Amino acid sequence: MVSADNLPFDVLPLVFRNLSCATDLLSIALASKAFNGAAIPLIYNSIIVNVAVVKKLAKKAQSPFQTLINRPALHRFPQSISISAVPLDRGHISEQFYITLAIIVPKLVNLSSFTFNAQAFLPALLPGLANLLRITEISVLADTLDCEQAKLLLQIGQKSPYSQQARGLRRISIHSPSPSVLDTLPEWIERNGPSIESLSVKDSALVTSSFVRPLLDHARNLTHLSLTRCPNLDHWSLMKQLEAVPRLSKLQLGIFTYSPFSGLPHHLNSLKHLSLYFMISKPVESAHKIKMIFSGNVDHTSSFTL
């Protein structure tokens, strides 16, 4: 008779992946040695530090990164890290949390995705990220990086010394880039150009259509472009430049001005999802006219958001 205890080991991870609650995985890991062996890689596959986790850390729970330091056998499991909140120590950002994170990041040899949308201490993590050969996705809040720190970004996504082919970054997302980061961005995009599929820049008054054009020229395989909260970006001028990225299928733009419309380009053949976020009040008829423009000229667009 087949029971959970005598299922083939390879089947267990397939079953456990369907669990929606992380605490269920933790409980299963305690059930038996076989269950533990199947559940532990899933528990540490994706590490998320958000407000809920920070509250637990405030109650003296052990950081997942400290657990990884204490147990080197777990280093091969994490593939994704996402940090949107950080613990505090006596009202200040916990320095110990960042020290632990800076120690462990270079040791996570299979890490492919890193998201860090918290304040401060990002520069201390950049050298470790540069040493990771499998990193393909990075999303950071970069408002405090100076010139030297921004140059550290160039080292992320370099090709493996064991292969002549560059792995490169597939997704780059920059929130509130400092002027130094924007100065570095064109070279960063150029170094990873063939592999980049998604580019997002949010919250920058320095981003203009003339700034974006060289980025598009180096990222010909781009399929997703998001430029939001960039008040000096002319959306119609940008539309004309999108001929540089013929594979673009998803576009998100923030609209700050009603610049004159001079006709929608006909090169948006692959566009499937379009989102326009109005940062100024818009009359209902204006929204309707813009929707008619896109619906009439890009009739293959399956998703349209105003």
Side-chain angles (χ1 to χ4, degrees):
M1 180 177 178
V2 177
S3 67
D5 290 329
N6 58 23
L7 278 173
F9 181 81
D10 292 344
V11 174
L12 296 179
L14 301 177
V15 175
F16 296 164
R17 282 195 185 98
N18 293 305
L19 296 174
S20 58
C21 183
T23 54
D24 290 342
L25 273 177
L26 293 173
S27 299
I28 283 174
L30 301 175
S32 69
K33 186 175 290 187
F35 278 27
N36 183 278
I40 286 296
L42 298 177
I43 291 172
Y44 288 96
N45 177 266
S46 179
I47 299 176
I48 299 174
V49 180
N50 52 25
V51 173
V53 172
V54 166
K55 288 181 179 179
K56 293 180 181 179
L57 295 178
K59 298 177 181 179
K60 305 303 180 182
Q62 181 168 277
S63 161
F65 305 117
Q66 185 61 57
T67 301
L68 289 169
I69 289 177
N70 296 341
R71 300 179 61 184
L74 301 178
H75 290 180
R76 67 184 187 275
F77 296 135
Q79 296 184 24
S80 172
I81 290 178
S82 178
I83 301 173
S84 57
V86 294
L88 301 179
D89 182 11
R90 297 178 183 178
H92 300 282
I93 295 174
S94 172
E95 204 167 317
Q96 182 59 40
F97 176 82
Y98 282 104
I99 291 173
T100 304
L101 184 57
I103 290 172
I104 196 59
V105 162
K107 299 178 180 180
L108 305 180
V109 294
N110 290 317
L111 191 69
S112 62
S113 176
F114 184 79
T115 299
F116 190 89
N117 291 321
Q119 291 286 347
F121 293 99
L122 175 61
L125 307 177
L126 295 179
L129 289 170
N131 290 328
L132 298 176
L133 301 180
R134 296 181 181 273
I135 195 80
T136 59
E137 301 182 2
I138 184 165
S139 175
V140 292
L141 173 64
D143 57 337
T144 61
L145 298 188
D146 61 24
C147 183
E148 292 303 315
Q149 294 165 348
K151 288 180 181 178
L152 294 173
L153 293 173
L154 296 175
Q155 302 173 29
I156 301 175
Q158 297 301 291
K159 68 180 177 182
S160 165
Y162 309 110
S163 171
Q164 293 303 312
Q165 275 194 328
R167 179 180 297 274
L169 294 171
R170 291 192 302 107
R171 184 175 70 89
I172 295 178
S173 179
I174 307 291
H175 186 190
S176 301
S178 68
S180 297
V181 170
L182 288 178
D183 288 342
T184 305
L185 189 57
E187 184 177 353
W188 197 20
I189 296 294
E190 183 177 6
R191 291 189 181 191
N192 294 277
S195 61
I196 292 180
E197 299 173 359
S198 175
L199 174 62
S200 175
V201 180
K202 182 179 180 181
D203 200 2
S204 176
L206 298 177
V207 172
T208 62
S209 53
S210 59
F211 173 83
V212 174
R213 182 56 198 247
L215 306 183
L216 300 180
D217 288 338
H218 293 306
R220 295 283 182 172
N221 295 321
L222 199 68
T223 60
H224 175 203
L225 177 63
S226 178
L227 300 169
T228 57
R229 298 179 66 180
C230 300
N232 293 316
L233 179 68
D234 187 303
H235 47 285
W236 292 130
S237 296
L238 177 69
M239 289 288 181
K240 297 177 181 178
Q241 297 175 2
L242 294 180
E243 60 184 348
V245 284
R247 299 183 181 181
L248 191 69
S249 62
K250 186 175 182 179
L251 177 63
Q252 295 174 304
L253 291 178
I255 308 296
F256 282 83
T257 61
Y258 291 119
S259 55
F261 173 63
S262 56
L264 189 70
H266 296 287
H267 49 251
L268 302 177
N269 296 324
S270 59
L271 192 64
K272 299 296 181 184
H273 307 282
L274 175 65
S275 297
L276 301 178
Y277 303 101
F278 282 84
M279 302 296 140
I280 53 177
S281 60
K282 62 182 189 303
V284 175
E285 62 272 15
S286 296
H288 178 70
K289 287 179 181 178
I290 290 178
K291 186 168 185 177
M292 289 295 292
I293 288 170
F294 284 99
S295 298
N297 289 271
V298 193
D299 52 10
H300 50 272
T301 302
S302 58
S303 174
F304 187 95
T305 306
L306 280 175

